[in-house]
Amino acid sequence: MVATGHAAASDLPALLEQAKSPRPSHAPSAATARAGLAGAAQKLQRYLDTGGANGAAWQRYLRFDQLSAALQPTAEVELEPLERIYQRFQADHPGLEMPVFHDVAVALRAWIDAIERQRHPVAQEEVGKQIDQLAAGLERYQCQPDAEELDQIAAAMGWLSRHGQAENLIAALRERLSRPNLHVHLSQRLLTAATDRPADDVEDVRDSILGTTLIGRAQTRGHVRTRLVPNPRYAQFETVIEAVNEAQTVGYNGPARVGSLSRTDLRGRKQFKLDANGFAVWPADATAETHSQTYGVWSNKRGCVDRLVRRVARKRLGQQKTASERVAAQHARQRLARRLDAEANRQLAQSNAEYLGRFRNPLYRTGHLPRELRFSTTADDLQLIALHDSPARLAAATAPPEPQPGLAMSVRLHESLANNLAEDFLAGRTLDQEQLEQLAVRLFGQLPAQLVNDEQRGPWSITFAQHDPVTLRIEQDAAMVTIRGREFASDLRTFRTPMNVTARYRLRRERDALTAVREGELEIVPPGFTQGKRISPRLSTIRTLLKHRFEKIFTPEIASQGLVLPGQWRRAGRLDLVQLESREGWLALGWATSAVAPGLVPGGYHADHDRGGPATRAGATGAHGVKTTMRDVSEYRHESLR
């Protein structure tokens, strides 16, 4: 696949000159790395010592006694046990994302790498050879931009990075050749269709105003709207309720009884934000204006006492009307703000728990969180930009296709994102049928039909290759997927013969949805196979068995039925695919709403509505994995809008 419009072509000559004269390494020595690990381990030890039985269980799981012994000054350090301990710190267990654990994992990795460099120093000739290979690769890429050439460049960069060489050069190359590989836009129009709703609520009234107890019923009618707030640093939202509260009450003050009708105009707003760390909220505020009228005055007395009570009550009503309406409005404003806080905080805490539990924390504790994860908002769009690479893998070297104007939602995905995630989670790993199904549900929210177990064929498993376990290549109106396995097993047989399974699809838009039509048969061959070479009978048997398995995954045609978003976003209805563009490694998809529900008027947020105040993170995991409440979080997490 050829990538045109390549990044930073004009800068490559200067980078080539820089590659020939690498700067000295600034990688930490083994002694420095050991000291950093010892400090982080001491903090973790103190933390776990306060955790009782749970803390002791963590220490056993992390083999903390072995780590402490290895940190002793006179210890003979073996790297293999340290690697096993490191893998435990990198496991997907809730709690390991906490800084006190994560700091030890980072320091332990640095110590292992420093010991490797100390025990196996690389000759300057080898460093020069790698840099020459990198320079040659950059020169070839300048002449013929190509994804495979970028993979070779990334491999050379990874080698230099592992050996602590040419840090400045690698950083410069990564800045130029590793750009964001995921862009997602959601429009205000889509947000409006999904979140705007009427408000209609009937409730009992019990209040006290200027010494009078009010009892009755009230109905609140209005509308709730959520708007995007322009902010380049994170995604910011404002939910606004505008409503009218009409109440009929009876006031009790001694023997006097006063029947009243009131109308209160309400406006409340609640702001919240989303960034890489999750959701955060600000306290709600509200305004209210009350107007009331009396429809009757009476008492629980008789005769002249009744007449006296009613005369005094009417006089006080006239004197206190303005003050009582002011107090009633104040109470209504406070009630609305409390209700907005309670309802929004509860919903956002749930959303935050899902974001942290299903996305951020698993990636963070396993060391696979994207290097960049940026949210931002304009008056018209919510934007998510992600960059996921690694020391030996690059992200996108080119800019994505431009989205069509007026889209409800767009997703622009570069092949490098899929390939890098596959390397993170599948390289060298063995997955059986059940684990594959669990992974698919975690990724897609449900089990795709292609992965439903075929009971007639029984369970099976695959052990992926150590490198490039799954490769996606996106070309002009086409895509190619290759799965590389080094072992395949069923309930009857195990094949330890590496095989690559490749499917090529032609992409097109049909009936406002994406359709992928497979071109030809599956290609199932051993690594390095030369076309035209004869296949042995044993390989033919393996190919036949794998074809039966993978034909169900890579079907001749894969057709979507349109896009309906989950949860409350379902209210936006079906989204029609109106943009499909694939080229240079990028797949650009754009959807438009089929129709906007009546009464939902799209609109943006005006900058003069901005406000300040403390923001509280909407739910987090505290010490020993305990879920904290909104109040707990506010004690240690405050942020200001600026």
Side-chain angles (χ1 to χ4, degrees):
M1 180 193 69
V2 176
T4 58
H6 51 288
S10 61
D11 295 337
L12 288 179
L15 294 175
L16 290 172
E17 290 300 317
Q18 185 178 4
K20 297 174 182 177
S21 303
R23 299 182 180 182
S25 170
H26 299 289
S29 66
T32 301
R34 177 191 171 280
L37 174 59
Q42 288 177 1
K43 291 181 181 179
L44 178 57
Q45 179 79 63
R46 289 194 296 268
Y47 174 78
L48 294 178
D49 285 343
T50 66
N54 192 37
W58 272 112
Q59 293 188 52
R60 289 192 300 272
Y61 166 75
L62 296 171
R63 298 179 178 175
F64 217 73
D65 55 343
Q66 296 182 26
L67 179 61
S68 299
L71 285 170
Q72 296 302 313
T74 59
E76 294 185 4
V77 180
E78 297 182 13
L79 292 184
E80 187 174 341
L82 291 182
E83 286 283 4
R84 288 196 294 266
I85 294 173
Y86 176 73
Q87 292 301 322
R88 293 187 169 232
F89 273 95
Q90 291 289 98
D92 187 14
H93 294 311
L96 288 176
E97 72 280 357
M98 297 170 61
V100 70
F101 290 98
H102 186 259
D103 291 347
V104 175
V106 172
L108 178 55
R109 182 74 264 164
W111 190 36
I112 293 173
D113 292 345
I115 294 174
E116 284 277 12
R117 289 193 298 269
Q118 178 179 286
R119 293 181 178 178
H120 307 286
V122 294
Q124 189 59 39
E125 292 79 6
E126 181 62 25
V127 175
K129 179 181 177 181
Q130 291 290 333
I131 291 178
D132 287 341
Q133 291 179 358
L134 177 59
L138 290 170
E139 190 169 5
R140 288 192 298 271
Y141 180 74
Q142 181 181 9
C143 297
Q144 184 65 44
D146 182 84
E148 283 74 16
E149 194 64 63
L150 276 180
D151 290 342
Q152 297 301 316
I153 292 172
M157 293 170 58
W159 188 95
L160 292 169
S161 179
R162 286 195 307 274
H163 293 87
Q165 301 295 318
E167 294 97 332
N168 293 334
L169 169 62
I170 292 172
L173 287 174
R174 194 165 296 282
E175 180 180 354
R176 289 159 175 78
L177 299 176
S178 199
R179 299 180 176 185
N181 44 12
L182 177 65
H183 298 255
V184 178
H185 287 231
L186 298 178
S187 71
Q188 172 66 66
R189 184 171 65 256
L190 180 63
L191 181 66
T192 296
T195 62
D196 282 20
R197 64 189 188 277
D200 193 344
D201 186 33
V202 177
E203 61 183 348
D204 294 327
V205 176
R206 188 175 184 88
D207 200 0
S208 179
I209 297 178
L210 301 179
T212 298
T213 300
L214 301 179
I215 299 176
R217 296 277 285 175
Q219 183 169 27
T220 302
R221 291 190 180 95
H223 211 89
V224 181
R225 295 178 171 86
T226 298
R227 295 291 176 262
L228 298 172
V229 182
N231 195 311
R233 295 183 293 122
Y234 43 76
Q236 187 173 340
F237 311 83
E238 181 181 71
T239 295
V240 175
I241 178 172
E242 294 178 328
V244 174
N245 176 279
E246 295 179 331
Q248 180 175 347
T249 60
V250 174
Y252 297 82
N253 192 328
R257 307 290 185 265
V258 179
S260 298
L261 300 175
S262 66
R263 172 192 169 98
T264 302
D265 296 317
L266 297 167
R267 188 179 192 275
R269 64 175 186 163
K270 175 77 172 181
Q271 288 196 355
F272 57 98
K273 75 170 192 175
L274 172 63
D275 60 16
N277 294 319
F279 288 91
V281 298
W282 285 270
D285 60 30
T287 60
E289 183 177 351
T290 299
H291 300 279
S292 63
Q293 64 183 46
T294 302
Y295 66 81
V297 178
W298 64 96
S299 76
N300 60 358
K301 302 298 181 180
R302 295 179 180 275
C304 60
V305 176
D306 172 60
R307 291 191 293 273
L308 177 61
V309 169
R310 283 187 287 163
R311 185 166 59 250
V312 172
R314 290 192 182 96
K315 181 178 180 181
R316 289 184 177 178
L317 283 173
Q319 295 172 341
Q320 297 179 345
K321 185 176 189 299
T322 301
S324 63
E325 290 179 343
R326 183 172 61 250
V327 173
Q330 179 184 0
H331 290 183
R333 182 174 66 249
Q334 293 170 347
R335 285 194 300 270
L336 179 59
R338 286 196 301 268
R339 182 167 180 175
L340 275 175
D341 277 333
E343 294 183 358
N345 291 357
R346 181 178 64 254
Q347 295 173 3
L348 289 171
Q350 180 180 353
S351 298
N352 195 52
E354 293 178 357
Y355 170 80
L356 296 177
R358 297 184 61 179
F359 175 73
R360 183 193 180 277
N361 288 350
L363 293 178
Y364 184 76
R365 54 182 168 248
T366 56
H368 303 317
L369 190 69
R371 181 159 61 92
E372 293 182 17
L373 188 62
R374 306 194 304 268
F375 294 86
S376 63
T377 42
T378 67
D380 301 315
D381 290 286
L382 181 155
Q383 304 164 22
L384 162 64
I385 298 176
L387 190 164
H388 184 53
D389 60 6
S390 68
R393 302 187 72 88
L394 295 171
T398 59
E402 287 296 322
Q404 292 181 5
L407 294 174
M409 183 175 76
S410 70
V411 176
R412 292 171 290 166
L413 166 75
H414 192 263
E415 61 187 32
S416 61
L417 178 63
N419 298 335
N420 294 347
L421 288 174
E423 184 82 11
D424 292 339
F425 291 100
L426 299 179
R429 185 178 175 187
T430 299
L431 294 181
D432 59 26
Q433 178 72 35
E434 182 179 356
Q435 291 170 321
L436 282 170
E437 292 177 358
Q438 292 174 351
L439 180 61
V441 171
R442 188 171 182 177
L443 290 175
F444 306 113
Q446 61 183 4
L447 184 64
Q450 294 94 330
L451 293 180
V452 174
N453 186 29
D454 188 343
E455 296 182 358
Q456 293 182 347
R457 301 189 183 279
W460 67 294
S461 67
I462 177 174
T463 300
F464 290 94
Q466 290 287 358
H467 301 289
D468 295 325
V470 178
T471 300
L472 171 66
R473 294 300 185 199
I474 299 174
E475 303 174 346
Q476 186 72 39
D477 301 325
M480 180 179 72
V481 181
T482 299
I483 295 179
R484 297 177 177 85
R486 57 188 176 92
E487 182 176 304
F488 305 88
S490 67
D491 55 346
L492 299 177
R493 304 180 64 179
T494 297
F495 300 98
R496 294 184 173 85
T497 302
M499 298 290 279
N500 298 343
V501 181
T502 299
R504 295 175 175 83
Y505 283 91
R506 182 63 55 182
L507 306 179
R508 62 192 186 205
R509 182 169 65 91
E510 290 185 351
R511 298 183 298 276
D512 298 323
L514 173 63
T515 299
V517 179
R518 198 179 72 200
E519 295 184 322
E521 298 294 324
L522 295 181
E523 181 183 283
I524 305 176
V525 296
F529 178 77
T530 302
Q531 292 294 336
K533 185 178 179 181
R534 186 175 179 180
I535 296 290
S536 68
R538 181 175 181 275
L539 287 181
S540 295
T541 301
I542 298 175
R543 290 178 65 182
T544 300
L545 293 174
L546 292 180
K547 181 180 179 180
H548 290 158
R549 289 289 184 181
F550 285 97
E551 278 280 1
K552 185 176 180 181
I553 297 175
F554 298 119
T555 56
E557 181 173 307
I558 302 174
S560 69
Q561 302 300 317
L563 179 63
V564 178
L565 298 176
Q568 71 178 39
W569 296 91
R570 182 180 296 273
R571 296 168 54 191
R574 169 179 157 156
L575 302 181
D576 294 335
L577 184 69
V578 296
Q579 180 183 12
L580 168 60
E581 188 174 351
S582 61
R583 58 178 174 83
E584 302 171 10
W586 283 100
L587 176 63
L589 302 171
W591 292 268
T593 51
S594 297
V596 178
L600 301 184
V601 181
Y605 181 91
H606 298 287
D608 61 355
H609 288 172
D610 199 10
R611 58 186 291 272
T616 304
R617 185 63 60 183
T621 301
H624 308 295
V626 177
K627 182 75 176 180
T628 59
T629 64
M630 298 296 295
R631 181 174 297 174
D632 294 331
V633 177
S634 67
E635 295 174 358
Y636 66 85
R637 175 90 184 187
H638 289 280
E639 300 182 21
S640 296
L641 281 172
R642 291 184 292 274

